[in-house]
Amino acid sequence: MRSFYKVLSLLLIINCGGGGGSSSDSPLTLSQNIPPQPLFKDTPIKLIDAVSYYSQACNKPSFQFLIPVKINNDHYMDFIAHFWCDSLTPAEFDDQPVQDALVAYLSDGFGGYLIDNIEVFGSVNPQLGGASRKYSRGDLNGDGKDDFAFAMNWEDGRASYDYESMIANYAQPSILMSHESGYSIQRLGNPDWGHSVQVKDNIVLFGGHSSQAFKFVDTTWIDISEQYLDLSFASFLVYDDYIINSVRRNGLQGLELRENNETISSLMIEESFKVNFESWNNQGTGKYNELGVYNIRGENYFDGMTSEMCRQDDLIIATINASKLRSGEIIEGGFYSETETDPVVLFAFYEIVNKELIKKELEIIGEEINHNFNFFDCIDINNDNMSDIVAQVFSQPWNDQDNNQGVPEVYINSGGFYFNLDTSTWPTFSLNDGSQGYLSDIDSNGTFDLVMFPLQANISGEIEIFLTNKNITN
């Protein structure tokens, strides 16, 4: 007992500063001097430019997708990249295939990556067969690994002003089907101007100028298209036994809820008037088509159609893609070119209540509608059991809008509303080129990391990944 009191007395003397070190050496003071841990590691992981692979198709392709996926057995994500070539003669007729290239990046388990197309695809130069527009992830063959279905087309900027040129934009849908060591490339169905795709269990559904659906049974694809009629060209979402379709017809645009090939509910906006519009792949041809102008949130916009949807528990989150005139007012019957407009993307929220589609009023504080993007993720990035929204915005140096330099727009779910997360101190893409980015847990440590890559391989196709040290919102 006496020895205990001797030790206690010594501790009291030391902590009071008697006979020993100064008070600045106390454990409390030392912990106060430790700087806070930064969110991101200082040095990014860099994946090399795959130029020796995509240059066999073209020198400056569009970098459409960089898909994180587990291929080998280490704790780092691997990646599948897809590149496709833009037209050298935009707005002119072309019936030749769009050249493309697939590239597989395999992790070495220590934060490094190498390209190994032979191991993953069994070929040095694998191709999907055209330009990919959207993809959907699921386990089609039931082996516990991700498979991927791609909505495909040959829309590379070529003309589309009549039936013949429209057909020249058609391509066959593609599948990346997993096997023991990698992926096989399968093409199925009829060529179409594919834009939308969804995977549900062992079923894949494609929307274009026609609807196609296939069920994978054993090793065979079975055509079940008659069970899924009128899948939207623009966007559709599989929601339990429902299909939610983005539609525009008879001067109306919006969403329809379908069950057993019948529309049971709809939410539509009526167009304000029509104009004559020259699209980007008819630029300079003088080929104008009628286009509706819609009033959304009190503003007139060209087009205005739901282009992407996700399900977040029982909530449906959708993006409405439209465009606005850079200067002046849109006049009924006027002639306009897409080159005179800027894109606008607005979020909208819906629910299904008693088989009825209901619009839900949710606020996004600091919503940035002037950033253009095709894709967004509904994921819980801060581990609070509420899914957030991560928009993969296009960062383009030539654009007058704020340039995120590869950083996505992040909207945090606060239960009843969202707010735009301040990312001003985040690292940015090092190349002064068009870029985009997303968040994904690359090193499997439970926190989301920043992945950035170019929109086109103009300067380089290099990829940068900044790993996080802690939770995104800490």
Side-chain angles (χ1 to χ4, degrees):
M1 181 65 70
R2 279 196 295 268
S3 63
F4 169 77
Y5 283 113
K6 286 181 181 179
V7 172
L8 180 59
S9 299
L10 286 171
L11 287 173
L12 288 171
I13 292 170
I14 291 171
N15 287 337
C16 290
S22 69
S23 61
S24 62
D25 292 329
S26 72
L28 179 61
T29 306
L30 285 172
S31 67
Q32 287 175 336
N33 290 334
I34 297 174
Q37 189 178 40
L39 176 58
F40 293 98
K41 297 187 185 302
D42 292 333
T43 305
I45 295 173
K46 290 192 176 184
L47 280 61
I48 64 169
D49 185 355
V51 61
S52 60
Y53 292 84
Y54 63 68
S55 63
Q56 299 187 47
C58 57
N59 288 326
K60 297 180 179 180
S62 288
F63 196 154
Q64 182 70 4
F65 292 120
L66 180 68
I67 303 172
V69 56
K70 284 280 190 180
I71 299 176
N72 57 25
N73 294 321
D74 63 45
H75 66 281
Y76 281 87
M77 280 288 183
D78 308 295
F79 295 93
I80 294 174
H82 188 228
F83 303 86
W84 54 264
C85 303
D86 296 274
S87 173
L88 298 176
T89 57
E92 294 185 13
F93 177 80
D94 188 356
D95 62 359
Q96 296 304 301
V98 172
Q99 296 301 307
D100 73 291
L102 282 167
V103 175
Y105 291 91
L106 291 184
S107 162
D108 63 8
F110 302 98
Y113 285 84
L114 54 87
I115 295 174
D116 198 341
N117 278 359
I118 291 290
E119 175 67 21
V120 176
F121 301 116
S123 169
V124 175
N125 299 307
Q127 296 177 304
L128 284 180
S132 54
R133 177 58 181 86
K134 294 181 182 179
Y135 77 87
S136 185
R137 180 193 302 254
D139 185 4
L140 289 163
N141 57 6
D143 66 353
K145 300 178 182 179
D146 287 332
D147 306 303
F148 301 92
F150 294 85
M152 302 293 295
N153 55 59
W154 289 353
E155 184 188 354
D156 58 356
R158 65 187 65 190
S160 64
Y161 49 78
D162 58 16
Y163 178 76
E164 185 179 11
S165 62
M166 182 182 72
I167 297 298
N169 282 270
Y170 280 23
Q172 199 173 15
S174 289
I175 303 287
L176 287 182
M177 188 72 83
S178 62
H179 55 74
E180 185 176 349
S181 61
Y183 285 89
S184 64
I185 301 169
Q186 303 181 18
R187 298 190 179 101
L188 70 163
N190 299 316
D192 198 355
W193 197 334
H195 267 67
S196 52
V197 58
Q198 290 271 284
V199 170
K200 178 186 178 183
D201 301 323
N202 63 336
I203 297 172
V204 60
L205 304 94
F206 298 100
H209 287 165
S210 61
S211 300
Q212 302 183 73
F214 304 90
K215 187 174 185 177
F216 191 74
V217 180
D218 296 326
T219 60
T220 304
W221 289 106
I222 300 172
D223 190 334
I224 57 168
S225 299
E226 75 283 352
Q227 298 178 30
Y228 296 94
L229 303 178
D230 297 324
L231 297 172
S232 172
F233 175 90
S235 178
F236 67 91
L237 179 68
V238 178
Y239 186 113
D240 297 339
D241 294 328
Y242 301 114
I243 297 291
I244 303 169
N245 253 351
S246 170
V247 296
R248 182 171 61 230
R249 68 170 71 94
N250 301 325
L252 300 171
Q253 71 87 10
L255 297 179
E256 289 183 343
L257 182 65
R258 291 176 63 82
E259 184 181 35
N260 298 324
N261 284 330
E262 293 185 0
T263 300
I264 60 174
S265 177
S266 65
L267 281 173
M268 309 295 284
I269 302 172
E270 186 174 1
E271 72 180 28
S272 301
F273 50 82
K274 290 185 183 295
V275 297
N276 302 285
F277 199 79
E278 182 187 61
S279 62
W280 73 281
N281 51 340
N282 290 333
Q283 181 180 341
T285 65
K287 303 288 185 181
Y288 288 84
N289 295 310
E290 278 194 332
L291 186 69
V293 172
Y294 295 87
N295 191 279
I296 305 171
R297 299 187 190 173
E299 299 286 340
N300 280 339
Y301 295 108
F302 297 110
D303 207 2
M305 193 167 184
T306 300
S307 59
E308 191 77 350
M309 290 179 274
C310 78
R311 180 178 178 179
Q312 196 182 79
D313 299 323
D314 292 330
L315 186 68
I316 300 151
I317 303 176
T319 47
I320 301 172
N321 279 60
S323 59
K324 62 181 180 180
L325 197 60
R326 286 189 184 138
S327 61
E329 296 292 327
I330 305 174
I331 307 300
E332 183 175 1
F335 285 78
Y336 302 95
S337 170
E338 193 160 352
T339 58
E340 301 174 85
T341 71
D342 285 322
V344 170
V345 187
L346 308 99
F347 279 100
F349 303 90
Y350 307 92
E351 284 184 329
I352 298 173
V353 180
N354 296 325
K355 294 194 172 187
E356 186 176 359
L357 199 58
I358 304 294
K359 187 171 183 181
K360 191 171 178 64
E361 298 297 335
L362 290 176
E363 183 182 9
I364 298 181
I365 298 172
E367 182 180 4
E368 177 53 84
I369 69 170
N370 293 314
H371 279 163
N372 189 23
F373 59 93
N374 286 334
F375 309 114
F376 67 96
D377 297 311
C378 295
I379 50 178
D380 179 11
I381 64 164
N382 57 351
N383 299 310
D384 64 355
N385 297 315
M386 293 190 294
S387 292
D388 310 296
I389 303 171
V390 182
Q392 301 175 32
V393 300
F394 299 151
S395 300
Q396 296 158 314
W398 50 264
N399 199 323
D400 291 336
Q401 308 299 329
D402 292 338
N403 186 355
N404 275 30
Q405 296 179 274
V407 177
E409 206 77 43
V410 181
Y411 299 112
I412 299 297
N413 188 346
S414 290
F417 70 93
Y418 296 79
F419 68 88
N420 194 335
L421 183 68
D422 182 7
T423 59
S424 60
T425 61
W426 286 20
T428 57
F429 194 55
S430 64
L431 298 179
N432 185 30
D433 197 12
S435 56
Q436 59 185 310
Y438 59 81
L439 298 176
S440 181
D441 185 3
I442 301 304
D443 56 358
S444 303
N445 73 340
T447 65
F448 279 74
D449 309 303
L450 175 60
V451 181
M452 295 180 287
F453 58 103
L455 297 174
Q456 287 186 297
N458 291 321
I459 301 172
S460 169
E462 192 172 84
I463 299 152
E464 297 176 354
I465 303 170
F466 283 88
L467 299 179
T468 45
N469 294 307
K470 56 184 180 180
N471 193 304
I472 285 287
T473 55
N474 281 359

